[in-house]
Amino acid sequence: MELAQCNVALARAPLDDPVMAGFVKAIDDVNWLADRSPGFLWRMLPQHGHVTFGQLEGDEVIVTLSVWMDVEALQRYVYRTAHGLFMGQRRRWFVPLGGLTTAMWWVPDGERPALDEGLSRLEHLRRKGPTPHAFSLRRQFDPDVADQP
């Protein structure tokens, strides 16, 4: 099994606004770093210029969808690379959504989730809390636990 993850962010302004310039400038480098990180397997390529947009609870959000070998590989990338510096500036570019913004779930080896599935898993996590169907970095489930909505 491999680890899928979907995370979202609500931009403070349109991407062409000067407020978002630092984010737009950094996003390609952050993606480059992910692509070369140990344990990285796949990410959905941007569908709208530098990013992919989706709908979460009525808001248009920027969506990242990726697959990793395991939770440890994702955590190393998120917290122990330059991505952590990028995250440290997120309040400059993003409005807090309230609630969880990242969902994880296990997928069979080689399966690549669709955007709608990622957003659905995140909505499930936000409504029901961590389950094997969608869980968080703080409350995880082993891959051998059955996926149940």
Side-chain angles (χ1 to χ4, degrees), residues 40-67:
F40 170 84
L41 299 172
W42 172 87
R43 70 179 167 86
M44 182 178 60
L45 295 177
Q47 298 178 353
H48 307 101
H50 295 279
V51 300
T52 296
F53 291 106
Q55 292 289 318
L56 180 71
E57 299 173 359
D59 289 317
E60 183 177 64
V61 292
I62 295 171
V63 182
T64 302
L65 188 63
S66 60
V67 178

PDB file of all heavy atoms in Angstrom, residues 40-67:
ATOM      1  N   PHE A  40       8.881   9.874  -2.351  1.00  0.00           N
ATOM      2  CA  PHE A  40       7.878  10.497  -3.220  1.00  0.00           C
ATOM      3  C   PHE A  40       7.599   9.577  -4.401  1.00  0.00           C
ATOM      4  O   PHE A  40       8.521   9.036  -5.006  1.00  0.00           O
ATOM      5  CB  PHE A  40       8.383  11.851  -3.727  1.00  0.00           C
ATOM      6  CG  PHE A  40       7.518  12.445  -4.800  1.00  0.00           C
ATOM      7  CD1 PHE A  40       6.389  13.165  -4.466  1.00  0.00           C
ATOM      8  CD2 PHE A  40       7.825  12.262  -6.139  1.00  0.00           C
ATOM      9  CE1 PHE A  40       5.580  13.711  -5.460  1.00  0.00           C
ATOM     10  CE2 PHE A  40       7.025  12.807  -7.136  1.00  0.00           C
ATOM     11  CZ  PHE A  40       5.900  13.523  -6.792  1.00  0.00           C
ATOM     12  N   LEU A  41       6.325   9.417  -4.739  1.00  0.00           N
ATOM     13  CA  LEU A  41       5.954   8.559  -5.859  1.00  0.00           C
ATOM     14  C   LEU A  41       5.243   9.309  -6.989  1.00  0.00           C
ATOM     15  O   LEU A  41       5.470   9.014  -8.156  1.00  0.00           O
ATOM     16  CB  LEU A  41       5.059   7.418  -5.374  1.00  0.00           C
ATOM     17  CG  LEU A  41       5.707   6.490  -4.346  1.00  0.00           C
ATOM     18  CD1 LEU A  41       4.683   5.520  -3.781  1.00  0.00           C
ATOM     19  CD2 LEU A  41       6.891   5.755  -4.971  1.00  0.00           C
ATOM     20  N   TRP A  42       4.370  10.266  -6.647  1.00  0.00           N
ATOM     21  CA  TRP A  42       3.556  10.917  -7.682  1.00  0.00           C
ATOM     22  C   TRP A  42       2.893  12.158  -7.099  1.00  0.00           C
ATOM     23  O   TRP A  42       2.609  12.209  -5.903  1.00  0.00           O
ATOM     24  CB  TRP A  42       2.470   9.945  -8.157  1.00  0.00           C
ATOM     25  CG  TRP A  42       1.445  10.532  -9.063  1.00  0.00           C
ATOM     26  CD1 TRP A  42       1.526  10.646 -10.413  1.00  0.00           C
ATOM     27  CD2 TRP A  42       0.166  11.071  -8.691  1.00  0.00           C
ATOM     28  NE1 TRP A  42       0.380  11.230 -10.904  1.00  0.00           N
ATOM     29  CE2 TRP A  42      -0.466  11.490  -9.862  1.00  0.00           C
ATOM     30  CE3 TRP A  42      -0.493  11.247  -7.471  1.00  0.00           C
ATOM     31  CZ2 TRP A  42      -1.738  12.077  -9.857  1.00  0.00           C
ATOM     32  CZ3 TRP A  42      -1.752  11.825  -7.460  1.00  0.00           C
ATOM     33  CH2 TRP A  42      -2.345  12.232  -8.656  1.00  0.00           C
ATOM     34  N   ARG A  43       2.640  13.141  -7.967  1.00  0.00           N
ATOM     35  CA  ARG A  43       1.772  14.259  -7.595  1.00  0.00           C
ATOM     36  C   ARG A  43       0.962  14.649  -8.816  1.00  0.00           C
ATOM     37  O   ARG A  43       1.411  14.510  -9.954  1.00  0.00           O
ATOM     38  CB  ARG A  43       2.549  15.450  -7.044  1.00  0.00           C
ATOM     39  CG  ARG A  43       3.378  16.183  -8.059  1.00  0.00           C
ATOM     40  CD  ARG A  43       4.099  17.389  -7.432  1.00  0.00           C
ATOM     41  NE  ARG A  43       5.106  17.872  -8.332  1.00  0.00           N
ATOM     42  CZ  ARG A  43       4.875  18.757  -9.307  1.00  0.00           C
ATOM     43  NH1 ARG A  43       3.685  19.273  -9.492  1.00  0.00           N
ATOM     44  NH2 ARG A  43       5.860  19.134 -10.097  1.00  0.00           N
ATOM     45  N   MET A  44      -0.231  15.128  -8.567  1.00  0.00           N
ATOM     46  CA  MET A  44      -1.074  15.628  -9.641  1.00  0.00           C
ATOM     47  C   MET A  44      -0.432  16.904 -10.172  1.00  0.00           C
ATOM     48  O   MET A  44      -0.094  17.804  -9.392  1.00  0.00           O
ATOM     49  CB  MET A  44      -2.482  15.917  -9.116  1.00  0.00           C
ATOM     50  CG  MET A  44      -3.445  16.401 -10.188  1.00  0.00           C
ATOM     51  SD  MET A  44      -5.099  16.673  -9.516  1.00  0.00           S
ATOM     52  CE  MET A  44      -4.751  17.914  -8.275  1.00  0.00           C
ATOM     53  N   LEU A  45      -0.238  16.957 -11.461  1.00  0.00           N
ATOM     54  CA  LEU A  45       0.356  18.152 -12.058  1.00  0.00           C
ATOM     55  C   LEU A  45      -0.632  19.311 -12.023  1.00  0.00           C
ATOM     56  O   LEU A  45      -1.851  19.093 -12.093  1.00  0.00           O
ATOM     57  CB  LEU A  45       0.802  17.856 -13.483  1.00  0.00           C
ATOM     58  CG  LEU A  45       1.926  16.820 -13.595  1.00  0.00           C
ATOM     59  CD1 LEU A  45       2.255  16.545 -15.061  1.00  0.00           C
ATOM     60  CD2 LEU A  45       3.163  17.266 -12.843  1.00  0.00           C
ATOM     61  N   PRO A  46      -0.146  20.537 -11.920  1.00  0.00           N
ATOM     62  CA  PRO A  46      -1.043  21.698 -11.858  1.00  0.00           C
ATOM     63  C   PRO A  46      -1.965  21.758 -13.076  1.00  0.00           C
ATOM     64  O   PRO A  46      -1.541  21.503 -14.202  1.00  0.00           O
ATOM     65  CB  PRO A  46      -0.083  22.886 -11.845  1.00  0.00           C
ATOM     66  CG  PRO A  46       1.208  22.336 -11.359  1.00  0.00           C
ATOM     67  CD  PRO A  46       1.261  20.921 -11.832  1.00  0.00           C
ATOM     68  N   GLN A  47      -3.208  22.093 -12.823  1.00  0.00           N
ATOM     69  CA  GLN A  47      -4.204  22.173 -13.885  1.00  0.00           C
ATOM     70  C   GLN A  47      -4.547  23.606 -14.272  1.00  0.00           C
ATOM     71  O   GLN A  47      -5.221  23.833 -15.259  1.00  0.00           O
ATOM     72  CB  GLN A  47      -5.473  21.426 -13.472  1.00  0.00           C
ATOM     73  CG  GLN A  47      -5.215  19.954 -13.249  1.00  0.00           C
ATOM     74  CD  GLN A  47      -6.448  19.207 -12.783  1.00  0.00           C
ATOM     75  OE1 GLN A  47      -7.482  19.784 -12.492  1.00  0.00           O
ATOM     76  NE2 GLN A  47      -6.336  17.892 -12.713  1.00  0.00           N
ATOM     77  N   HIS A  48      -4.090  24.567 -13.472  1.00  0.00           N
ATOM     78  CA  HIS A  48      -4.386  25.987 -13.723  1.00  0.00           C
ATOM     79  C   HIS A  48      -3.106  26.800 -13.539  1.00  0.00           C
ATOM     80  O   HIS A  48      -2.920  27.424 -12.498  1.00  0.00           O
ATOM     81  CB  HIS A  48      -5.471  26.490 -12.779  1.00  0.00           C
ATOM     82  CG  HIS A  48      -6.715  25.663 -12.787  1.00  0.00           C
ATOM     83  ND1 HIS A  48      -6.994  24.738 -11.815  1.00  0.00           N
ATOM     84  CD2 HIS A  48      -7.733  25.597 -13.674  1.00  0.00           C
ATOM     85  CE1 HIS A  48      -8.141  24.150 -12.095  1.00  0.00           C
ATOM     86  NE2 HIS A  48      -8.608  24.648 -13.215  1.00  0.00           N
ATOM     87  N   GLY A  49      -2.234  26.781 -14.511  1.00  0.00           N
ATOM     88  CA  GLY A  49      -0.963  27.490 -14.376  1.00  0.00           C
ATOM     89  C   GLY A  49      -0.057  26.771 -13.399  1.00  0.00           C
ATOM     90  O   GLY A  49       0.365  25.650 -13.637  1.00  0.00           O
ATOM     91  N   HIS A  50       0.213  27.414 -12.252  1.00  0.00           N
ATOM     92  CA  HIS A  50       1.107  26.847 -11.239  1.00  0.00           C
ATOM     93  C   HIS A  50       0.400  25.933 -10.241  1.00  0.00           C
ATOM     94  O   HIS A  50       1.065  25.269  -9.456  1.00  0.00           O
ATOM     95  CB  HIS A  50       1.795  27.967 -10.456  1.00  0.00           C
ATOM     96  CG  HIS A  50       2.722  28.797 -11.279  1.00  0.00           C
ATOM     97  ND1 HIS A  50       3.997  28.403 -11.581  1.00  0.00           N
ATOM     98  CD2 HIS A  50       2.542  29.992 -11.885  1.00  0.00           C
ATOM     99  CE1 HIS A  50       4.580  29.321 -12.333  1.00  0.00           C
ATOM    100  NE2 HIS A  50       3.717  30.298 -12.524  1.00  0.00           N
ATOM    101  N   VAL A  51      -0.931  25.941 -10.220  1.00  0.00           N
ATOM    102  CA  VAL A  51      -1.680  25.225  -9.177  1.00  0.00           C
ATOM    103  C   VAL A  51      -2.890  24.503  -9.770  1.00  0.00           C
ATOM    104  O   VAL A  51      -3.224  24.672 -10.939  1.00  0.00           O
ATOM    105  CB  VAL A  51      -2.167  26.191  -8.068  1.00  0.00           C
ATOM    106  CG1 VAL A  51      -1.003  26.896  -7.397  1.00  0.00           C
ATOM    107  CG2 VAL A  51      -3.169  27.190  -8.610  1.00  0.00           C
ATOM    108  N   THR A  52      -3.558  23.763  -8.893  1.00  0.00           N
ATOM    109  CA  THR A  52      -4.854  23.165  -9.199  1.00  0.00           C
ATOM    110  C   THR A  52      -5.856  23.747  -8.223  1.00  0.00           C
ATOM    111  O   THR A  52      -5.574  23.852  -7.024  1.00  0.00           O
ATOM    112  CB  THR A  52      -4.796  21.633  -9.049  1.00  0.00           C
ATOM    113  OG1 THR A  52      -3.890  21.131 -10.030  1.00  0.00           O
ATOM    114  CG2 THR A  52      -6.155  20.997  -9.240  1.00  0.00           C
ATOM    115  N   PHE A  53      -7.006  24.137  -8.728  1.00  0.00           N
ATOM    116  CA  PHE A  53      -8.079  24.644  -7.878  1.00  0.00           C
ATOM    117  C   PHE A  53      -9.158  23.581  -7.723  1.00  0.00           C
ATOM    118  O   PHE A  53      -9.388  22.771  -8.618  1.00  0.00           O
ATOM    119  CB  PHE A  53      -8.711  25.907  -8.472  1.00  0.00           C
ATOM    120  CG  PHE A  53      -7.817  27.103  -8.444  1.00  0.00           C
ATOM    121  CD1 PHE A  53      -7.220  27.566  -9.599  1.00  0.00           C
ATOM    122  CD2 PHE A  53      -7.570  27.782  -7.261  1.00  0.00           C
ATOM    123  CE1 PHE A  53      -6.382  28.672  -9.592  1.00  0.00           C
ATOM    124  CE2 PHE A  53      -6.738  28.893  -7.235  1.00  0.00           C
ATOM    125  CZ  PHE A  53      -6.145  29.333  -8.404  1.00  0.00           C
ATOM    126  N   GLY A  54      -9.816  23.598  -6.574  1.00  0.00           N
ATOM    127  CA  GLY A  54     -10.954  22.734  -6.310  1.00  0.00           C
ATOM    128  C   GLY A  54     -11.903  23.440  -5.362  1.00  0.00           C
ATOM    129  O   GLY A  54     -11.610  24.534  -4.871  1.00  0.00           O
ATOM    130  N   GLN A  55     -13.029  22.807  -5.101  1.00  0.00           N
ATOM    131  CA  GLN A  55     -14.039  23.367  -4.205  1.00  0.00           C
ATOM    132  C   GLN A  55     -14.075  22.581  -2.903  1.00  0.00           C
ATOM    133  O   GLN A  55     -14.155  21.349  -2.919  1.00  0.00           O
ATOM    134  CB  GLN A  55     -15.421  23.314  -4.855  1.00  0.00           C
ATOM    135  CG  GLN A  55     -15.574  24.245  -6.038  1.00  0.00           C
ATOM    136  CD  GLN A  55     -15.612  25.700  -5.606  1.00  0.00           C
ATOM    137  OE1 GLN A  55     -16.254  26.066  -4.619  1.00  0.00           O
ATOM    138  NE2 GLN A  55     -14.907  26.547  -6.343  1.00  0.00           N
ATOM    139  N   LEU A  56     -14.009  23.294  -1.799  1.00  0.00           N
ATOM    140  CA  LEU A  56     -14.146  22.685  -0.481  1.00  0.00           C
ATOM    141  C   LEU A  56     -15.123  23.527   0.319  1.00  0.00           C
ATOM    142  O   LEU A  56     -14.843  24.707   0.597  1.00  0.00           O
ATOM    143  CB  LEU A  56     -12.798  22.616   0.245  1.00  0.00           C
ATOM    144  CG  LEU A  56     -12.850  21.980   1.627  1.00  0.00           C
ATOM    145  CD1 LEU A  56     -13.087  20.470   1.512  1.00  0.00           C
ATOM    146  CD2 LEU A  56     -11.582  22.263   2.413  1.00  0.00           C
ATOM    147  N   GLU A  57     -16.262  22.947   0.617  1.00  0.00           N
ATOM    148  CA  GLU A  57     -17.283  23.618   1.430  1.00  0.00           C
ATOM    149  C   GLU A  57     -17.587  25.018   0.910  1.00  0.00           C
ATOM    150  O   GLU A  57     -17.673  25.975   1.668  1.00  0.00           O
ATOM    151  CB  GLU A  57     -16.859  23.628   2.894  1.00  0.00           C
ATOM    152  CG  GLU A  57     -16.686  22.225   3.451  1.00  0.00           C
ATOM    153  CD  GLU A  57     -16.105  22.177   4.852  1.00  0.00           C
ATOM    154  OE1 GLU A  57     -15.790  23.247   5.429  1.00  0.00           O
ATOM    155  OE2 GLU A  57     -15.963  21.066   5.373  1.00  0.00           O
ATOM    156  N   GLY A  58     -17.699  25.155  -0.417  1.00  0.00           N
ATOM    157  CA  GLY A  58     -18.084  26.420  -1.036  1.00  0.00           C
ATOM    158  C   GLY A  58     -16.947  27.378  -1.315  1.00  0.00           C
ATOM    159  O   GLY A  58     -17.160  28.422  -1.919  1.00  0.00           O
ATOM    160  N   ASP A  59     -15.740  27.049  -0.898  1.00  0.00           N
ATOM    161  CA  ASP A  59     -14.583  27.909  -1.156  1.00  0.00           C
ATOM    162  C   ASP A  59     -13.746  27.336  -2.294  1.00  0.00           C
ATOM    163  O   ASP A  59     -13.553  26.123  -2.379  1.00  0.00           O
ATOM    164  CB  ASP A  59     -13.681  28.004   0.082  1.00  0.00           C
ATOM    165  CG  ASP A  59     -14.305  28.817   1.196  1.00  0.00           C
ATOM    166  OD1 ASP A  59     -14.876  29.884   0.912  1.00  0.00           O
ATOM    167  OD2 ASP A  59     -14.206  28.376   2.362  1.00  0.00           O
ATOM    168  N   GLU A  60     -13.215  28.221  -3.141  1.00  0.00           N
ATOM    169  CA  GLU A  60     -12.253  27.785  -4.142  1.00  0.00           C
ATOM    170  C   GLU A  60     -10.884  27.734  -3.466  1.00  0.00           C
ATOM    171  O   GLU A  60     -10.382  28.752  -3.002  1.00  0.00           O
ATOM    172  CB  GLU A  60     -12.217  28.734  -5.336  1.00  0.00           C
ATOM    173  CG  GLU A  60     -11.271  28.231  -6.416  1.00  0.00           C
ATOM    174  CD  GLU A  60     -11.251  29.106  -7.649  1.00  0.00           C
ATOM    175  OE1 GLU A  60     -10.838  30.277  -7.522  1.00  0.00           O
ATOM    176  OE2 GLU A  60     -11.653  28.623  -8.712  1.00  0.00           O
ATOM    177  N   VAL A  61     -10.304  26.546  -3.418  1.00  0.00           N
ATOM    178  CA  VAL A  61      -9.048  26.329  -2.716  1.00  0.00           C
ATOM    179  C   VAL A  61      -7.986  25.807  -3.673  1.00  0.00           C
ATOM    180  O   VAL A  61      -8.298  25.227  -4.720  1.00  0.00           O
ATOM    181  CB  VAL A  61      -9.233  25.337  -1.545  1.00  0.00           C
ATOM    182  CG1 VAL A  61     -10.097  25.944  -0.441  1.00  0.00           C
ATOM    183  CG2 VAL A  61      -9.816  24.016  -2.027  1.00  0.00           C
ATOM    184  N   ILE A  62      -6.740  26.036  -3.318  1.00  0.00           N
ATOM    185  CA  ILE A  62      -5.614  25.444  -4.030  1.00  0.00           C
ATOM    186  C   ILE A  62      -5.432  24.038  -3.463  1.00  0.00           C
ATOM    187  O   ILE A  62      -5.416  23.846  -2.244  1.00  0.00           O
ATOM    188  CB  ILE A  62      -4.345  26.288  -3.835  1.00  0.00           C
ATOM    189  CG1 ILE A  62      -4.551  27.668  -4.482  1.00  0.00           C
ATOM    190  CG2 ILE A  62      -3.123  25.576  -4.409  1.00  0.00           C
ATOM    191  CD1 ILE A  62      -3.441  28.661  -4.176  1.00  0.00           C
ATOM    192  N   VAL A  63      -5.304  23.059  -4.345  1.00  0.00           N
ATOM    193  CA  VAL A  63      -5.251  21.656  -3.940  1.00  0.00           C
ATOM    194  C   VAL A  63      -3.915  21.038  -4.345  1.00  0.00           C
ATOM    195  O   VAL A  63      -3.458  21.230  -5.477  1.00  0.00           O
ATOM    196  CB  VAL A  63      -6.382  20.841  -4.593  1.00  0.00           C
ATOM    197  CG1 VAL A  63      -6.344  19.393  -4.129  1.00  0.00           C
ATOM    198  CG2 VAL A  63      -7.744  21.475  -4.332  1.00  0.00           C
ATOM    199  N   THR A  64      -3.324  20.310  -3.425  1.00  0.00           N
ATOM    200  CA  THR A  64      -2.168  19.467  -3.714  1.00  0.00           C
ATOM    201  C   THR A  64      -2.578  18.028  -3.452  1.00  0.00           C
ATOM    202  O   THR A  64      -3.118  17.724  -2.382  1.00  0.00           O
ATOM    203  CB  THR A  64      -0.974  19.834  -2.818  1.00  0.00           C
ATOM    204  OG1 THR A  64      -0.649  21.206  -3.011  1.00  0.00           O
ATOM    205  CG2 THR A  64       0.236  18.967  -3.137  1.00  0.00           C
ATOM    206  N   LEU A  65      -2.328  17.170  -4.412  1.00  0.00           N
ATOM    207  CA  LEU A  65      -2.653  15.757  -4.301  1.00  0.00           C
ATOM    208  C   LEU A  65      -1.400  14.976  -4.664  1.00  0.00           C
ATOM    209  O   LEU A  65      -0.807  15.212  -5.724  1.00  0.00           O
ATOM    210  CB  LEU A  65      -3.798  15.438  -5.265  1.00  0.00           C
ATOM    211  CG  LEU A  65      -4.443  14.070  -5.217  1.00  0.00           C
ATOM    212  CD1 LEU A  65      -5.121  13.832  -3.869  1.00  0.00           C
ATOM    213  CD2 LEU A  65      -5.486  13.961  -6.335  1.00  0.00           C
ATOM    214  N   SER A  66      -0.959  14.085  -3.775  1.00  0.00           N
ATOM    215  CA  SER A  66       0.270  13.344  -4.037  1.00  0.00           C
ATOM    216  C   SER A  66       0.211  11.959  -3.413  1.00  0.00           C
ATOM    217  O   SER A  66      -0.672  11.660  -2.608  1.00  0.00           O
ATOM    218  CB  SER A  66       1.491  14.114  -3.529  1.00  0.00           C
ATOM    219  OG  SER A  66       1.407  14.334  -2.135  1.00  0.00           O
ATOM    220  N   VAL A  67       1.170  11.114  -3.804  1.00  0.00           N
ATOM    221  CA  VAL A  67       1.292   9.758  -3.263  1.00  0.00           C
ATOM    222  C   VAL A  67       2.738   9.551  -2.817  1.00  0.00           C
ATOM    223  O   VAL A  67       3.677   9.918  -3.537  1.00  0.00           O
ATOM    224  CB  VAL A  67       0.881   8.687  -4.303  1.00  0.00           C
ATOM    225  CG1 VAL A  67       1.071   7.288  -3.741  1.00  0.00           C
ATOM    226  CG2 VAL A  67      -0.569   8.894  -4.750  1.00  0.00           C
TER     227      VAL A  67
END
